[in-house]
Amino acid sequence: MANAIRALSMDAVEKAKSGHPGMPMGMADVATVLFTRFLKFDPADPSWPDRDRFVLSAGHGSMLLYSLLYLTGYDGVTLDELKTFRQLGSKTAGHPEYGHCPGVETTTGPLGQGIANAVGMALAERMLNARFGDALVNHFTYVVAGDGCLMEGLSHEAIDLAGHLRLNRLIVLFDDNGISIDGDTSLATSTDQLARFAAAGWDVTRVDGHDPEAVAAAIQAAKLTGTPSLIACRTVIGYGAPTKQGTEATHGAPLGADEVAGARAALGWSHAPFEIPTEILAAWRSAGSRGADAHLSWERRLQSADPDTRQAFLDGQRGTPGLGLDTALANLKASFAAEAPKIATRQASQKVIDQIAPVLPALIGGSADLTGSNLTKARSQETVTADKFAGGYIHYGVREHVMGAAMNGIALHGGFIPYGGTFLVFTDYCRPSIRLSALMGQRVIYVMTHDSIGLGEDGPTHQPVEHLAGLRAMPNVNVFRPADAMETVEAWACALADTDTPSVLCLSRQGLPALRREAGDDNPVARGAYVVSGDVERRDVTLLATGSEVALAVEAAAKLGDEGIAATVVSMPCWELFRVQPEAYRTQVLGTAPRIAVEAAIETGWERWIGETGRFVGMTGFGASAPAGDLYAHFGITVAAIVAAAKEIRTSKGE
Amino acid sequence: MANAIRALSMDAVEKAKSGHPGMPMGMADVATVLFTRFLKFDPADPSWPDRDRFVLSAGHGSMLLYSLLYLTGYDGVTLDELKTFRQLGSKTAGHPEYGHCPGVETTTGPLGQGIANAVGMALAERMLNARFGDALVNHFTYVVAGDGCLMEGLSHEAIDLAGHLRLNRLIVLFDDNGISIDGDTSLATSTDQLARFAAAGWDVTRVDGHDPEAVAAAIQAAKLTGTPSLIACRTVIGYGAPTKQGTEATHGAPLGADEVAGARAALGWSHAPFEIPTEILAAWRSAGSRGADAHLSWERRLQSADPDTRQAFLDGQRGTPGLGLDTALANLKASFAAEAPKIATRQASQKVIDQIAPVLPALIGGSADLTGSNLTKARSQETVTADKFAGGYIHYGVREHVMGAAMNGIALHGGFIPYGGTFLVFTDYCRPSIRLSALMGQRVIYVMTHDSIGLGEDGPTHQPVEHLAGLRAMPNVNVFRPADAMETVEAWACALADTDTPSVLCLSRQGLPALRREAGDDNPVARGAYVVSGDVERRDVTLLATGSEVALAVEAAAKLGDEGIAATVVSMPCWELFRVQPEAYRTQVLGTAPRIAVEAAIETGWERWIGETGRFVGMTGFGASAPAGDLYAHFGITVAAIVAAAKEIRTSKGE
């Protein structure tokens, strides 16, 4: 049965003229044991909530997964799909892509991400289990990871967190083949991986990855431990390839016709390319149907659960925030309208979280060790610990990267809406995971505070200047920079409502005055940009701004008004949402008067909004260490500078 | 003497009303032992090449370093500077900044970076020692790292690499205080750090960080081992603060007047704020002068070295690439002019490296396990190993982040010009280190290949689309995207010549035709953009492009010419260099005709060049998995699309 995986992998890579045959051939035995004897899954319903999760962290070995999905009978994963491996429009992309091919639990390829997603999945399983019990939630998360995954720094953050939380339903099968792209791993690493994982509190063992009984015994033992488990599987990369096996030559290129023929002979596989003998396919399909009974029993348990529990479980799975949320947000907006608080948007965000956490049990918060700065923990949230998974708040530690990757895993698992905080400048530390949130279309909410030089004394290492531009450049991410408490509520509402897009909330450290004094029923932030002060029609100049700089623009507009210059201020909390508004709305908001943009960040991207004749008041390079007020003055992001730019732009236009 | 550090740290934070007193107070004893008994340094010459390096990886504890620099007598680090801690224009920024304050070896604050820089420094020391011997190069690298540094994934990559290379001159003093911002570290981690470092091949020990003799004995022992060393120093954060010590309350905020008074009493320190008793200051200054004799002996050894060796050493320190380099590059350009090779720019880069490595001994190459794909290893380069540091090529492993951070350390150490490769998409994995290359103004060369959907079958996880925009948004980074072999040589020439700016070379996977057939003496890439085909004056439309898309633009221009439309093509290999050209040159290159930009990436940033009326031919979202040619056709980045856009833009202009 394992040779069926090897043959399909060789053949598909050969036909595509590109791909990675070495890993599937090396791990075929391990995968066969896992899929035929342990994995709880039902190819007829890839979204069954209580299935075991299988994560191919070494995503380049995608043919291992595609072979398994075909052999076990996933709908739509046909032989024809395997024959169009890596071709435009096929389900069998070069690396496994979530949402693109049934049975793919997460998009992998960027190394280290899969194992970190799996930590999130295994954590989600325990958290959901704490809420709904063994009858509804009781599954394992299996990972295949290679040497590359374990060299990436992200793997440290992942195993550190998993060990700390004693995620005993997490089992990592390490493809311990001693080969990476440059050659033998001894070129680059000398780490004793078993000792390393043990240091993080994992149960560890090593087996011959080509001995099915040894692999089975190790998995069986791993299922019973009270900690996450690492099973190092000694394998031969490209197992069966007569001259290339055990070398990097099998890693990332087709074997070639002669070598494939030789491998067929060595493996005793006499069948034509893409041909699987009936009895072998039948054996695989039988393995694929193993889970049907378990699935049926689970459905029965769900039906016999009490109605409230069932409803709560299904609501969580559907990810519908629910009516309580709308009321909570509306109440908060009303109180902000009444009180007009001058608070930092991170403080406003804290108030949002305090309001919504009690009515939104699916909400799972956290911070990368900046809880008191990000203000991410609701009063009602208890900390998630290894002894108590019922809580709603995760201390991710100083580990931004696994925070992002685990949130992806939590969102993919289902049942939860994760959010997590750090300083905006440290989005750089988790950018690969933000990108995967975007590529997979996951509702992950990044709460990024201290969003400009307004951070002050900590200096340029902690002050984002290019991060807004960098995040706005990423496809399918909504970047919000609310201007006051009201906009912060509305940005949160958008982030919670958009089930297919991650959001980055960029929040101020410093207090900001309330701009809007009426709550209203609509959500102008959802339109991306809107006129916040001044006349929509009659204007001499338009001031565009986001976040903490909107108040400066409003003040500048007042000064300009005193001098007879009509300045209209547009708050632009989310460019991405504005860009998809009807053209008539966009034209109306932007107007035809000359434009000045104000943002305590670099200009990149603003050219789109201000045009060739516009002006920009903002940063031109890195920040500095000083109190925030001094920095705004030093870098010339002031009311006076906006007023001067407005006069200058009118002069240069001959007005 | 240690209490002098504690008092200065408390006082400076108190006066600044912000900062981190806990770490300096906790590590004062350890630092006193290190600086008074072990560290080889000469405050009179902070750039003495053979000094020991001291890296404060836990950069928030900056007052520890500033106190030491003042106490030991660094020129310019005065009491007045300590009194203006964290104020605009002072040397004593919130976090230590390289180039801003003498004695600061590297900019730290983003956690994990310092320890990874130190790996690069310790590696540079061994590599320079292999070239120049013990007489000229013989020093240690000491690091103070906290719990946060060790939680970051980057720390794994750093200790994995350091252990593998057995960097025995690297000694890490772990501030093992069990506290991070959120509280006790047991909230977030259960890792046994000693076991973890041991698993990576380090020598490890634990001492009481408030027992000077124990600390001294541990450092003495660590100096003698054949591996890097971890000394876990059990400390009390905020040592001396009567009610707050040992808690997170001392981490990142002033202690407050009462607590400071209490600490003074507890420590028996009766002196006024910022007042250091004469005899204690004298003792510190005496410690500061310990190194003068060693420095003098070293100078004598340098003078008595043979002239060629001395010259080579000094050239390396000055970072002057030398005449041989110019000749090598000129020869290569001449051969490319003669042969007009159609090769990928990564292949052209390989030829550059092959030419320059033999004449530029300071060059240190490497790749994050993609050597055969990045084409970063010169034929003449031998691999650097734990047994042989004379080589010029480092296998960084699948560890992009430490590659960037170690290159920063190698560049900061002096004597070398580091470059390193991975796929462009994985700049995300090392973005925090690229940012620090830029902030510190270090000549670090990032060789980033597979720079677009031209990567092909590996799919969207491996295809950069937003990375050019994201890198161009970062201050002080030169982003090069050469269009052919000739431009690749010229981009390398720029990168090597600019001593204060990191460069990112974005190179194609796929072959590109030769555009320029004359080598010439000038370097048009150094001007950032230039007219590569068509008339400079008379033009109906201007096509702007970079890298692999320049050839498409040239082909489209030919087609347009056939139809009587004069299209001029501008290659824009480096926006940053173009932006600083004289306005007359920029105006001449861009012309006044309508503009179309072509780049297989998202549009962000191009608005600056094409204006409101321009067109963009490129990507609008993530890529896909398919052969490169299919992808270009699928996403509409084709000659036909450029031609159509040119006609459309002329029509809409009424021409």
Side-chain angles (χ1 to χ4, degrees):
Chain A
M1 288 172 78
N3 284 340
I5 298 173
R6 294 193 174 96
L8 288 173
S9 298
M10 285 193 299
D11 294 342
V13 170
E14 209 64 20
K15 185 156 194 304
K17 299 193 188 70
S18 83
H20 301 77
M23 191 280 235
M25 296 175 75
M27 283 296 279
D29 295 316
V30 172
T32 302
V33 170
L34 178 65
F35 273 67
T36 60
R37 303 199 210 176
F38 292 98
L39 196 74
K40 179 171 77 171
F41 68 115
D42 182 359
D45 182 4
S47 64
W48 169 27
D50 201 35
R51 71 195 181 278
D52 286 344
R53 305 301 194 269
F54 174 73
V55 174
L56 188 72
S57 192
H60 51 275
S62 55
M63 272 309 303
L64 178 74
L65 181 53
Y66 298 142
S67 299
L68 290 162
L69 296 176
Y70 161 66
L71 291 167
T72 56
Y74 276 78
D75 200 31
V77 188
T78 62
L79 257 188
D80 281 345
E81 289 289 341
L82 301 193
K83 289 177 184 169
T84 53
F85 179 49
R86 297 185 147 232
Q87 305 308 303
L88 196 62
S90 79
K91 291 191 174 69
T92 51
H95 291 82
E97 290 183 35
Y98 172 81
H100 197 77
C101 180
V104 172
E105 299 283 4
T106 179
T107 297
T108 52
L111 294 174
Q113 298 289 336
I115 187 172
N117 295 158
V119 170
M121 292 175 183
L123 173 56
E125 192 270 347
R126 285 294 85 190
M127 295 192 297
L128 209 60
N129 173 277
R131 286 158 174 75
F132 294 99
D134 288 347
L136 296 186
V137 187
N138 186 11
H139 56 266
F140 283 81
T141 300
Y142 295 96
V143 180
V144 166
D147 291 291
C149 288
L150 301 192
M151 283 196 242
E152 287 288 355
L154 175 53
S155 67
H156 165 60
E157 301 187 15
I159 70 172
D160 193 3
L161 181 61
H164 177 66
L165 292 172
R166 297 203 296 276
L167 299 176
N168 64 324
R169 301 305 189 91
L170 176 64
I171 298 176
V172 173
L173 301 156
F174 168 30
D175 180 16
D176 186 11
N177 61 31
I179 295 291
S180 68
I181 292 175
D182 276 6
D184 197 285
T185 52
S186 66
L187 275 175
T189 184
S190 305
T191 290
D192 176 342
Q193 294 291 355
L194 266 62
R196 177 192 171 208
F197 276 74
W202 288 52
D203 164 66
V204 298
T205 189
R206 172 168 275 135
V207 297
D208 174 354
H210 301 298
D211 177 348
E213 295 314 316
V215 172
I219 296 176
Q220 188 55 46
K223 290 180 70 168
L224 302 175
T225 63
T227 66
S229 298
L230 174 77
I231 303 173
C233 307
R234 284 268 196 219
T235 63
V236 176
I237 191 170
Y239 185 92
T243 72
K244 295 184 176 178
Q245 73 172 13
T247 76
E248 66 274 20
T250 67
H251 171 85
L255 297 175
D258 290 353
E259 189 78 6
V260 169
R264 282 190 138 72
L267 297 169
W269 186 268
S270 56
H271 318 290
F274 296 105
E275 189 188 307
I276 307 296
T278 314
E279 71 279 14
I280 290 183
L281 186 59
W284 270 110
R285 290 288 155 96
S286 163
S289 59
R290 273 191 312 116
D293 286 350
H295 188 180
L296 195 64
S297 316
W298 180 87
E299 292 284 358
R300 287 205 198 95
R301 292 196 296 276
L302 178 65
Q303 293 314 318
S304 62
D306 78 77
D308 286 355
T309 302
R310 184 169 63 240
Q311 195 56 45
F313 182 83
L314 293 173
D315 280 352
Q317 291 296 313
R318 277 192 288 262
T320 42
L323 286 176
L325 176 69
D326 294 342
T327 309
L329 293 174
N331 289 345
L332 190 57
K333 283 181 66 174
S335 87
F336 284 158
E339 294 162 20
K342 182 179 176 176
I343 55 177
T345 49
R346 64 179 171 135
Q347 293 173 299
S349 172
Q350 169 81 77
K351 289 175 190 291
V352 173
I353 295 167
D354 274 331
Q355 285 295 311
I356 65 178
V359 297
L360 192 51
L363 199 69
I364 294 291
S367 167
D369 197 45
L370 286 169
T371 298
S373 298
N374 301 141
L375 302 176
T376 32
K377 190 165 186 288
R379 282 188 303 269
S380 65
Q381 282 170 336
E382 286 190 52
T383 298
V384 173
T385 70
D387 300 314
K388 194 172 177 198
F389 287 100
Y393 194 80
I394 300 165
H395 287 283
Y396 286 105
V398 189
R399 294 181 299 233
E400 302 80 10
H401 205 167
V402 79
M403 179 174 74
M407 289 199 293
N408 284 337
I410 292 169
L412 288 162
H413 180 277
F416 296 106
I417 304 173
Y419 71 88
T422 183
F423 288 164
L424 179 60
V425 80
F426 298 136
T427 50
D428 280 351
Y429 272 76
C430 52
R431 197 169 159 91
S433 295
I434 299 175
R435 187 172 206 259
L436 284 162
S437 306
L439 186 57
M440 294 193 279
Q442 291 302 298
R443 176 172 48 183
V444 172
I445 304 174
Y446 294 88
V447 181
M448 301 303 187
T449 69
H450 297 63
D451 70 349
S452 74
I453 53 167
L455 170 143
E457 293 89 342
D458 275 347
T461 51
H462 286 54
Q463 290 162 358
V465 295
E466 75 277 25
H467 298 75
L468 290 169
L471 291 165
R472 286 169 180 153
M474 199 181 277
N476 196 38
V477 177
N478 286 336
V479 180
F480 294 93
R481 191 165 187 250
D484 67 357
M486 188 79 77
E487 280 195 7
T488 306
V489 185
E490 293 166 347
W492 262 105
C494 293
L496 291 164
D498 196 334
T499 55
D500 300 329
T501 306
S503 296
V504 182
L505 307 181
C506 306
L507 305 174
S508 74
R509 176 197 188 192
Q510 69 274 33
L512 305 179
L515 295 168
R516 284 178 19 232
R517 304 296 295 267
E518 292 187 16
D521 286 335
D522 70 337
N523 178 347
V525 170
R527 294 197 296 275
Y530 65 98
V531 172
V532 70
S533 89
D535 201 286
V536 173
E537 299 301 331
R538 199 189 68 77
R539 40 177 129 166
D540 299 320
V541 63
T542 298
L543 307 179
L544 310 173
T546 74
S548 42
E549 286 70 67
V550 177
L552 294 181
V554 170
E555 205 180 323
K559 284 216 172 5
L560 288 165
D562 292 344
E563 303 189 35
I565 301 172
T568 296
V569 179
V570 174
S571 179
M572 299 191 74
C574 183
W575 293 11
E576 295 78 17
L577 293 177
F578 185 58
R579 237 183 270 156
V580 296
Q581 296 303 307
E583 190 179 351
Y585 178 75
R586 282 184 284 129
T587 307
Q588 184 196 42
V589 168
L590 292 174
T592 53
R595 294 177 206 134
I596 296 166
V598 193
E599 187 169 72
I602 59 140
E603 185 174 2
T604 301
W606 279 104
E607 299 90 346
R608 173 190 298 263
W609 308 117
I610 60 177
E612 280 163 288
T613 56
R615 294 286 187 285
F616 178 71
V617 177
M619 300 292 290
T620 56
F622 293 112
S625 169
D630 294 353
L631 292 173
Y632 271 87
H634 176 70
F635 290 110
I637 305 173
T638 60
V639 170
I642 303 168
V643 168
K647 290 183 181 171
E648 185 189 302
I649 205 171
R650 278 171 50 80
T651 307
S652 72
K653 288 238 155 189
E655 292 174 69
Chain B
M1 287 172 79
N3 284 341
I5 298 173
R6 294 193 174 98
L8 289 173
S9 299
M10 285 193 298
D11 294 342
V13 170
E14 209 63 21
K15 185 155 193 306
K17 300 193 189 69
S18 85
H20 301 77
M23 191 280 233
M25 296 174 75
M27 283 297 278
D29 296 315
V30 172
T32 301
V33 169
L34 179 65
F35 273 67
T36 60
R37 304 198 210 175
F38 292 97
L39 196 75
K40 179 170 77 170
F41 69 115
D42 182 359
D45 181 4
S47 64
W48 169 27
D50 200 35
R51 71 194 181 279
D52 286 345
R53 304 302 194 268
F54 175 73
V55 174
L56 188 73
S57 192
H60 52 274
S62 55
M63 271 310 302
L64 178 75
L65 181 53
Y66 298 143
S67 299
L68 290 162
L69 296 175
Y70 162 66
L71 291 167
T72 56
Y74 276 78
D75 200 33
V77 188
T78 62
L79 258 187
D80 281 346
E81 289 290 340
L82 300 194
K83 290 177 185 169
T84 53
F85 179 49
R86 296 183 148 233
Q87 305 308 303
L88 196 62
S90 79
K91 290 191 173 70
T92 51
H95 290 83
E97 291 182 35
Y98 172 81
H100 197 76
C101 179
V104 172
E105 299 283 3
T106 179
T107 297
T108 52
L111 294 175
Q113 298 290 335
I115 187 171
N117 295 158
V119 169
M121 292 175 183
L123 173 56
E125 192 270 348
R126 284 294 85 190
M127 294 192 297
L128 209 59
N129 174 278
R131 286 157 173 76
F132 294 100
D134 288 348
L136 296 186
V137 186
N138 186 11
H139 56 267
F140 283 82
T141 301
Y142 295 95
V143 181
V144 166
D147 291 291
C149 288
L150 302 192
M151 283 196 241
E152 287 289 354
L154 174 55
S155 68
H156 165 60
E157 301 187 16
I159 71 173
D160 193 3
L161 181 61
H164 177 66
L165 292 173
R166 296 203 297 275
L167 299 175
N168 64 324
R169 300 304 188 92
L170 177 64
I171 298 175
V172 173
L173 301 156
F174 168 32
D175 180 16
D176 187 11
N177 62 30
I179 295 291
S180 68
I181 292 174
D182 275 6
D184 197 285
T185 52
S186 65
L187 275 175
T189 183
S190 304
T191 290
D192 176 342
Q193 294 291 356
L194 266 64
R196 177 192 171 206
F197 277 74
W202 288 52
D203 164 65
V204 299
T205 189
R206 171 169 276 135
V207 298
D208 175 354
H210 301 299
D211 176 348
E213 295 314 315
V215 172
I219 295 176
Q220 188 55 45
K223 289 180 71 169
L224 303 174
T225 64
T227 66
S229 298
L230 173 77
I231 303 173
C233 307
R234 284 267 196 220
T235 62
V236 176
I237 191 171
Y239 185 92
T243 72
K244 294 184 175 179
Q245 73 172 14
T247 77
E248 65 274 20
T250 68
H251 172 84
L255 296 175
D258 290 352
E259 189 78 7
V260 169
R264 283 191 137 74
L267 297 169
W269 186 267
S270 56
H271 316 290
F274 295 106
E275 188 188 306
I276 306 294
T278 314
E279 71 278 14
I280 290 183
L281 185 60
W284 270 111
R285 291 288 154 97
S286 163
S289 60
R290 272 191 311 115
D293 286 350
H295 187 181
L296 195 64
S297 316
W298 181 87
E299 290 286 358
R300 287 207 196 95
R301 291 196 298 276
L302 179 65
Q303 293 314 319
S304 63
D306 78 77
D308 285 354
T309 302
R310 185 170 62 239
Q311 194 57 44
F313 182 83
L314 293 173
D315 280 352
Q317 291 296 314
R318 276 190 288 263
T320 42
L323 286 176
L325 175 69
D326 294 343
T327 309
L329 293 174
N331 289 346
L332 190 57
K333 283 181 66 173
S335 88
F336 283 159
E339 293 162 21
K342 182 180 176 175
I343 55 178
T345 49
R346 64 179 170 135
Q347 292 173 299
S349 171
Q350 169 82 75
K351 290 177 190 287
V352 173
I353 294 167
D354 274 330
Q355 284 296 310
I356 65 178
V359 297
L360 192 52
L363 199 69
I364 295 291
S367 167
D369 197 45
L370 285 168
T371 297
S373 298
N374 301 141
L375 301 176
T376 32
K377 189 166 187 287
R379 282 189 301 270
S380 64
Q381 281 170 335
E382 288 190 52
T383 298
V384 172
T385 69
D387 300 314
K388 195 170 176 199
F389 287 99
Y393 194 80
I394 299 165
H395 288 283
Y396 286 105
V398 189
R399 294 181 298 232
E400 302 80 9
H401 206 167
V402 79
M403 178 173 75
M407 289 199 293
N408 284 338
I410 292 169
L412 287 162
H413 179 277
F416 297 106
I417 303 173
Y419 71 89
T422 183
F423 288 165
L424 179 59
V425 79
F426 297 136
T427 49
D428 280 351
Y429 272 78
C430 52
R431 197 170 161 90
S433 295
I434 299 176
R435 188 173 206 259
L436 284 162
S437 306
L439 186 57
M440 293 193 280
Q442 291 301 299
R443 176 172 48 183
V444 172
I445 304 173
Y446 294 88
V447 181
M448 300 304 186
T449 69
H450 297 63
D451 69 351
S452 74
I453 54 167
L455 171 142
E457 292 89 342
D458 275 347
T461 52
H462 286 54
Q463 291 161 358
V465 295
E466 75 278 25
H467 298 75
L468 290 169
L471 291 166
R472 287 169 181 154
M474 199 181 278
N476 196 38
V477 177
N478 286 337
V479 180
F480 294 94
R481 192 165 187 249
D484 68 357
M486 188 78 78
E487 280 195 7
T488 306
V489 185
E490 293 166 346
W492 262 104
C494 293
L496 291 165
D498 196 334
T499 54
D500 299 329
T501 305
S503 295
V504 182
L505 307 180
C506 306
L507 305 174
S508 74
R509 177 196 187 192
Q510 69 274 33
L512 304 179
L515 295 169
R516 285 179 16 233
R517 304 296 295 267
E518 291 187 15
D521 286 335
D522 70 338
N523 178 348
V525 170
R527 294 197 296 275
Y530 64 99
V531 171
V532 69
S533 90
D535 200 286
V536 174
E537 299 301 331
R538 200 189 69 77
R539 40 178 129 164
D540 299 320
V541 63
T542 298
L543 307 179
L544 310 173
T546 73
S548 42
E549 285 71 68
V550 177
L552 294 182
V554 169
E555 206 181 320
K559 283 214 170 11
L560 288 165
D562 292 345
E563 302 189 38
I565 300 173
T568 296
V569 179
V570 174
S571 179
M572 298 192 75
C574 182
W575 292 11
E576 295 78 17
L577 293 178
F578 184 58
R579 238 183 268 157
V580 296
Q581 296 304 307
E583 189 180 351
Y585 178 74
R586 282 184 283 129
T587 308
Q588 184 196 41
V589 168
L590 293 174
T592 54
R595 295 177 205 136
I596 297 167
V598 193
E599 187 168 72
I602 59 140
E603 184 173 3
T604 302
W606 279 104
E607 299 90 346
R608 174 190 299 263
W609 309 117
I610 59 178
E612 281 163 286
T613 56
R615 293 286 187 285
F616 179 71
V617 176
M619 300 291 290
T620 56
F622 293 112
S625 169
D630 294 353
L631 292 173
Y632 271 88
H634 175 70
F635 290 109
I637 306 172
T638 59
V639 170
I642 302 168
V643 168
K647 290 182 181 171
E648 185 189 303
I649 205 170
R650 279 172 50 81
T651 307
S652 72
K653 289 239 153 188
E655 291 174 69

